[in-house]
Amino acid sequence: MKTIIRAAALAATIACGSAGIAQAQTAERVYAQGTVWSVGYIETKPGMFDDYMAYLNGPWKAIQEAAKKRGDVISYKILSVNDVRDNEPDLVLMVEYKNMAVFDQSDEELDKQTSAAFGSPVKANQAAVSRETLRTTRGGFLGRELKFIK
């Protein structure tokens, strides 16, 4: 008998909880999916800020501009962070993409894009290794902008 009462109480609890969840989902959606942002946190190594900025003004900018020309990138920005503490980024790199589909490209297409900026995929890999002498990545994220429609 106690088992039946416990089962009935559990079923009632689940039913009430489910009703609350369903009720919470009845709100009308007031937003639409927007562009996609890639945000990277960069800590430049001591004495390497200008060298890293030269890289950003060279190959990194060329990659962003080519992606803008293709229509994949909407905008890009570099933010300088004030009052940086140890092991925190002093730069924030932000790239705004038109949508998530931009990230679904073939390896051949990606190789073509990096070759345009660096000469070949092998040189792109070598450049990636050499950038480690200039900076340390401190994380980042990929997020979608949500825009209010009402």
Side-chain angles (χ1 to χ4, degrees), residues 46-65:
M48 296 297 170
F49 185 85
D50 289 338
D51 290 336
Y52 190 67
M53 288 300 294
Y55 159 73
L56 293 175
N57 191 44
W60 186 81
K61 180 179 175 184
I63 290 168
Q64 306 317 316
E65 288 295 326

Side-chain angles (χ1 to χ4, degrees), residues 36-37 64 68 72-77 94-97:
V36 176
W37 285 87
Q64 306 317 316
K68 278 180 75 172
D72 292 341
V73 166
I74 305 299
S75 68
Y76 60 94
K77 301 170 184 351
M94 300 172 57
V95 181
E96 181 183 17
Y97 296 93

Side-chain angles (χ1 to χ4, degrees), residues 116-149:
F118 294 101
S120 72
V122 171
K123 288 182 181 179
N125 290 338
Q126 291 169 343
V129 170
S130 70
R131 276 194 305 280
E132 294 304 309
T133 64
L134 305 175
R135 55 98 167 115
T136 301
T137 56
R138 294 292 177 202
F141 66 90
L142 188 68
R144 184 183 296 275
E145 184 176 355
L146 299 178
K147 297 183 178 189
F148 290 117
I149 56 177

